[in-house]
Amino acid sequence: MTKQYKTLGDDIWKNKVEKINAELFTLTYGSIVAQLVKDYEDFTEVNKQLEKMGYNIGTRLIEDFLARSGVGRCQDFRETAEMVSKVGFKMFLNITPAVTNISADGREFSLVLDENPLAECVELPDQALVDELWYSNILCGVLRGSLEMVQMQVDAFFVTDTLRGDDMTEIRVKLIRYLEEEVPAGED
Amino acid sequence: MSSSASATSRLSVMSMAASLPSVGGYSSAPSSIYAKRNTTNILERHLNKTRGAEVSVNAFAFLFSEMLQYTQKRVNGIQDLERKLNELGYRVGIRALDLLVWREKNSKRETRVLGMLYFIHTTVWKAMFGKQADSLEKSTENEDEYMISDNDPMVSKFISIPKDVSQLNCGAFMAGIVEAIMDGCQFPSRVTAHTVPIDGFPLRTTILIKLDREVLEREEQLK
């Protein structure tokens, strides 16, 4: 099953996606983070803003994802994890983070990114390390936003980050609950 | 005697470094020193590692739109918004310049205006946007103005501009990149972006480069 997702992801990346220079992308993201740091001067606030921006992106990204990949509903959270890492990340960022540490009840998993196009050539200042800036926090927002649009309320957060001197970059995703599909008020 | 003096000085430096975490009182400070050790190898990272790397244009479009929305909330007025975009592009430009010049391995740096503009028109555009810019023109009205045009700018492709802000041009981001590159190569100038639609290319954007007087004077002397 994972193999089928991987081939799907590779296929979409090769054929259906228009590509641009990753370095422009990296530099643009860096510029955004620098601007946020300048505006807020408080790294916890910057984390929150990045997450919020990611949430906004995620709510729209999911439509793009579904349109391009044409996949159906996932059977369980494990499948969601595989879909996100093999197809989702591949389609947009050309990386496939590994899915690890799936909890026993299948409601949590970790994504380990061995390469992060957002954080190439980035070095954090000391103050950012002390104050716990998660540089790529926008990814957590994207995950939260996009999964919420498919009826899953999740909590995504960074556990470790190579920019902070850890060995690897790991995002933990926890399923909080499945959301009921709500009929908009006024319709029957 | 001198060796013992240096030994004690070394010792005092060590103790200073060791006492630093406790002064701040942060429990996480020791990890910051570890982190420093781990992350100083950023300088050893090869610059060509991500040379051909690509991401999807959608990812960039989403990021750019978020950037726009964030900036829009914090400014009042179109001029201010364009200025902020210019600033954001500026940061991209200085770093892009370093990378591009290093990769080009062209031993001569540009000293003439035309050479500089040609560099931007071909190398910079090709590296950033995957194709050369569409035209490079000199203004007939003013001596100090040059224009680089892009028929289908990637940054504006996915942005729809509402009527009440129709003056806005998201090419201000590209203008910022160009301005940073011009400044970095010692051609200080003011760079702005304008939409100049022509048949078949409604999004055509022209980057207007207005060189500072000192550049023109220098150019005169070099003739």
Side-chain angles (χ1 to χ4, degrees):
Chain A
M1 191 179 58
T2 9
K3 193 138 189 285
Q4 147 201 347
Y5 287 147
K6 188 163 186 322
T7 24
L8 176 63
D10 288 341
D11 180 53
I12 298 179
W13 172 256
K14 246 200 303 189
N15 302 328
K16 292 198 198 165
V17 171
E18 209 180 307
K19 307 175 183 61
I20 57 147
N21 183 4
E23 287 165 347
L24 176 63
F25 183 69
T26 309
L27 290 174
T28 308
Y29 184 68
S31 190
I32 295 177
V33 176
Q35 185 67 40
L36 282 173
V37 168
K38 201 166 101 162
D39 289 338
Y40 285 104
E41 290 180 23
D42 169 24
F43 290 104
T44 15
E45 195 54 44
V46 173
N47 280 340
K48 260 198 263 168
Q49 280 301 314
L50 282 174
E51 217 264 347
K52 212 157 49 132
M53 286 172 82
Y55 181 80
N56 293 337
I57 293 181
T59 52
R60 292 177 299 144
L61 184 133
I62 184 71
E63 281 184 38
D64 196 12
F65 171 79
L66 290 172
R68 252 172 240 271
S69 63
V71 293
R73 206 174 261 287
C74 289
Q75 299 299 335
D76 58 10
F77 202 54
R78 252 177 260 256
E79 222 180 298
T80 310
E82 290 299 327
M83 187 77 80
V84 162
S85 80
K86 302 280 179 311
V87 187
F89 270 91
K90 179 74 181 172
M91 209 159 92
F92 290 100
L93 296 176
N94 196 21
I95 53 171
T96 31
V99 178
T100 58
N101 284 353
I102 306 182
S103 67
D105 57 1
R107 290 174 77 90
E108 291 183 24
F109 64 90
S110 283
L111 288 167
V112 175
L113 290 87
D114 53 355
E115 45 172 330
N116 184 1
L118 291 174
E120 296 285 350
C121 280
V122 174
E123 194 179 21
L124 295 182
D126 281 338
Q127 193 56 37
L129 294 169
V130 166
D131 284 346
E132 294 227 339
L133 171 72
W134 298 111
Y135 184 80
S136 314
N137 213 25
I138 205 172
L139 291 176
C140 297
V142 171
L143 285 168
R144 186 168 70 92
S146 49
L147 288 175
E148 189 169 308
M149 289 295 119
V150 281
Q151 268 76 53
M152 280 177 259
Q153 190 184 355
V154 300
D155 196 17
F157 51 92
F158 269 91
V159 182
T160 55
D161 191 356
T162 40
L163 289 177
R164 298 172 51 81
D166 303 317
D167 293 326
M168 56 182 186
T169 310
E170 183 181 335
I171 304 179
R172 189 105 189 119
V173 182
K174 281 194 195 162
L175 175 68
I176 300 183
R177 64 192 177 102
Y178 285 100
L179 300 166
E180 290 300 318
E181 260 204 56
E182 285 169 9
V183 178
E187 286 184 30
D188 261 322
Chain B
M1 197 158 75
S2 59
S3 59
S4 66
S6 63
T8 44
S9 64
R10 242 183 296 135
L11 211 62
S12 61
V13 166
M14 285 291 287
S15 60
M16 233 172 35
S19 67
L20 217 53
S22 57
V23 167
Y26 300 123
S27 58
S28 57
S31 70
S32 78
I33 298 185
Y34 283 179
K36 228 11 187 154
R37 266 193 237 134
N38 240 344
T39 52
T40 41
N41 55 11
I42 194 176
L43 294 173
E44 282 144 39
R45 181 189 173 283
H46 199 272
L47 283 175
N48 273 341
K49 182 175 163 215
T50 47
R51 182 168 188 177
E54 298 170 315
V55 293
S56 79
V57 72
N58 314 50
F60 181 78
F62 281 123
L63 193 65
F64 189 74
S65 89
E66 266 317 299
M67 189 166 87
L68 264 184
Q69 283 180 43
Y70 171 76
T71 321
Q72 219 173 1
K73 288 195 206 115
R74 302 179 73 88
V75 297
N76 35 5
I78 299 177
Q79 303 286 33
D80 218 6
L81 182 53
E82 289 201 349
R83 204 165 44 82
K84 282 254 155 152
L85 285 178
N86 195 306
E87 229 178 87
L88 285 161
Y90 198 91
R91 283 198 205 101
V92 175
I94 2 176
R95 292 167 176 87
L97 174 65
D98 271 341
L99 255 184
L100 291 173
V101 166
W102 182 82
R103 283 195 184 145
E104 227 201 321
K105 306 237 190 296
N106 183 5
S107 50
K108 284 191 136 219
R109 76 181 167 98
E110 302 293 342
T111 47
R112 306 301 301 275
V113 167
L114 219 50
M116 183 66 224
L117 293 172
Y118 195 68
F119 172 74
I120 297 183
H121 168 97
T122 46
T123 319
V124 175
W125 235 256
K126 190 132 202 294
M128 297 269 105
F129 308 116
K131 58 168 179 127
Q132 292 188 2
D134 292 304
S135 72
L136 170 60
E137 297 158 330
K138 184 173 154 62
S139 158
T140 43
E141 294 147 32
N142 300 354
E143 263 300 308
D144 55 353
E145 283 183 1
Y146 291 83
M147 296 164 292
I148 293 182
S149 305
D150 192 343
N151 284 344
D152 194 11
M154 188 188 47
V155 297
S156 327
K157 216 160 39 159
F158 297 101
I159 310 285
S160 70
I161 303 186
K163 277 211 189 62
D164 53 349
V165 280
S166 61
Q167 303 289 345
L168 171 66
N169 193 320
C170 301
F173 183 72
M174 293 196 296
I177 299 181
V178 173
E179 185 163 344
I181 295 183
M182 295 293 282
D183 279 352
C185 292
Q186 306 300 322
F187 288 87
S189 43
R190 263 169 313 153
V191 186
T192 49
H194 305 271
T195 325
V196 187
I198 60 172
D199 283 332
F201 301 112
L203 286 176
R204 186 163 184 264
T205 307
T206 302
I207 310 279
L208 185 66
I209 305 171
K210 196 172 170 66
L211 301 163
D212 278 1
R213 206 153 41 88
E214 55 193 61
V215 180
L216 289 173
E217 287 169 6
R218 192 178 68 206
E219 192 70 9
E220 274 302 312
Q221 289 181 349
L222 287 172
K223 274 210 186 111

